[in-house]
Amino acid sequence: MANPIYTRLQGTAQRLIAKYGQAGTVTRISEPDPIEGGDPVPTPYEATLVPMAYSAQEIDGTEILSGDMQIYISSVGLAIEPKPGDLVSASGKTFRVIKADPNNYDGLTNVVFIVQGRIAP
């Protein structure tokens, strides 16, 4: 059973992201069939998110680069859990997910997804 505190935190995160955030997409690229081949298939998922720049103290030049964004994605209604390699569209730009944190403290409730995004080539 989900802990009620995490369910409330999830609701709070969803309300704040809906109020201050924007519509975006998280796109998962499926690998081609290993036998039949073909092209990778992108599948977009609608999301509500807030992109935020990292502070100068957080940018270390190795793990976090200048231009990377910390993107808060509402877990409510998102059909997938973002993972490295996914693409996130926000503020008219496309970011590749480098790291993803579901903020899942009880093992059941994803409170909010926080991902590190890097401009996709």
Side-chain angles (χ1 to χ4, degrees), residues 51-68:
M52 296 172 52
Y54 281 98
S55 69
Q57 293 84 6
E58 294 173 300
I59 298 171
D60 62 7
T62 55
E63 294 286 322
I64 300 173
L65 305 179
S66 179
D68 285 2

Side-chain angles (χ1 to χ4, degrees), residues 44-92:
Y45 297 91
E46 292 183 14
T48 307
L49 47 86
V50 176
M52 296 172 52
Y54 281 98
S55 69
Q57 293 84 6
E58 294 173 300
I59 298 171
D60 62 7
T62 55
E63 294 286 322
I64 300 173
L65 305 179
S66 179
D68 285 2
M69 297 290 278
Q70 190 171 31
I71 306 169
Y72 289 75
I73 305 171
S74 176
S75 62
V76 176
L78 187 60
I80 61 169
E81 182 175 315
K83 67 179 186 175
D86 288 346
L87 301 173
V88 177
S89 297
S91 300

